[in-house]
Amino acid sequence: MGRLNGKTALITGAARGIGAAIAHAFKAEGASVILTDIDEDDGAALASSLGCPFFKLDVADEADWDAVAGHVQHLDILVNNAGIIGLEDKQARHDPEHATLEAWRAVHSVNLDGTFLGCRFAIRAMKEKGEGSIINLSSRSGMVGIPAAAAYASSKAGIRNHTKSVALYCAGQGWNIRCNSIHPAAIMTPMWDPMLGEGAGREKAMAAITAGIPLRRFGRPEEVAALAVFLASDDAQYMTGEELTIDGGILAGSSASPVGD
């Protein structure tokens, strides 16, 4: 018996990285999985391989959420995973002095507005049954300052706090709709590519980062997915408004400052 048998889960940003790993893990645990992403090609390919439905979803677009809602008849689990750092454009600067308002808003639109819209969608889908699990992907960067990625850090901090607001709201309504956040750091996903570069420079950058991680390695998306399975399962029935950090020990006291998930 899988830990998620009989449950229906929707995952945003599921085409690759942590989202794809969560999709694989949920499917292996018996869930009926719905994949969404702005990347239609990779998202549809993964959905085909897993035997799951896929819907294009720009999480920052309210109309896209409304369209997806029309296809979802039942929902037990939502994973708000979609997010951007803002450093995908190598020419852009995201420190507090040089970041443009446009760049600041773009990151918050995807990361924070997308999470708000996802939580709202999930509450409305789950409240009739009165139970469910909402899992928001924040970051270690939502718990500390990140000078070179100020918008990303701010948006992830917002996700951390909104998770608690959603948890308290749902509990206050008498629903067993739980909302928790996961805070990864230094997880090796494609999100790191713009920062690590290629070739010998990439290896040097990776070595410099892992030297500052107590466990001396990058984390794997599958390790984050294992936490998501736990929070989605009945094993976590008494957990809401909580934040789980998975960072190789960075927040235990290391001075390292990796940026991405």
Side-chain angles (χ1 to χ4, degrees):
M1 294 289 289
R3 296 165 75 187
L4 304 181
N5 275 0
K7 297 183 184 293
T8 298
L10 187 148
I11 305 167
T12 71
R16 58 182 189 162
I18 290 174
I22 292 173
H24 279 283
F26 279 15
K27 184 72 173 179
E29 292 289 348
S32 297
V33 181
I34 301 167
L35 308 183
T36 69
D37 203 292
I38 199 171
D39 181 346
E40 294 185 80
D41 292 339
D42 288 347
L46 178 60
S48 177
S49 70
L50 292 176
C52 302
F54 169 80
F55 300 103
K56 178 181 178 296
L57 173 63
D58 176 351
V59 295
D61 189 325
E62 188 172 19
D64 270 16
W65 277 106
D66 291 341
V68 168
H71 295 287
V72 177
Q73 305 304 314
H74 173 76
L75 186 68
D76 299 292
I77 305 159
L78 172 70
V79 181
N80 281 312
N81 167 72
I84 60 173
I85 293 181
L87 301 176
E88 294 80 5
D89 178 358
K90 296 181 180 179
Q91 304 304 313
R93 296 185 64 177
H94 278 261
D95 61 85
E97 179 183 3
H98 299 98
T100 66
L101 182 59
E102 180 183 13
W104 172 271
R105 287 175 171 169
V107 171
H108 282 81
S109 178
V110 174
N111 296 357
L112 188 53
D113 294 353
T115 297
F116 158 71
L117 291 169
C119 289
R120 190 180 70 177
F121 157 77
I123 292 169
R124 292 173 177 177
M126 296 172 178
K127 68 179 183 179
E128 183 175 351
K129 187 177 179 181
E131 62 182 23
S133 175
I134 302 170
I135 303 167
N136 295 328
L137 268 293
S138 180
S139 171
R140 179 209 74 116
S141 300
M143 306 175 84
V144 297
I146 305 293
Y152 180 76
S154 171
S155 68
K156 291 297 186 175
I159 291 171
R160 178 192 187 195
N161 190 269
H162 191 61
T163 296
K164 299 177 188 301
S165 294
V166 170
L168 293 174
Y169 174 79
C170 290
Q173 301 302 308
W175 303 324
N176 186 32
I177 299 174
R178 300 175 293 106
C179 187
N180 296 286
S181 58
I182 298 176
H183 298 253
I187 306 299
M188 183 48 66
T189 70
M191 185 177 282
W192 276 93
D193 290 343
M195 293 170 284
L196 295 177
E198 301 176 355
R202 180 183 180 91
E203 293 302 317
K204 183 177 180 180
M206 289 180 64
I209 291 169
T210 55
I213 299 172
L215 289 185
R216 296 297 189 269
R217 68 171 177 87
F218 278 88
R220 299 185 298 273
E222 294 77 15
E223 292 172 312
V224 181
L227 279 185
V229 168
F230 168 68
L231 290 175
S233 75
D234 292 341
D235 294 336
Q237 280 291 320
Y238 200 51
M239 292 183 67
T240 193
E242 303 293 346
E243 51 195 52
L244 298 182
T245 302
I246 176 166
D247 68 354
I250 293 172
L251 283 179
S254 169
S255 61
S257 56
V259 173
D261 293 342

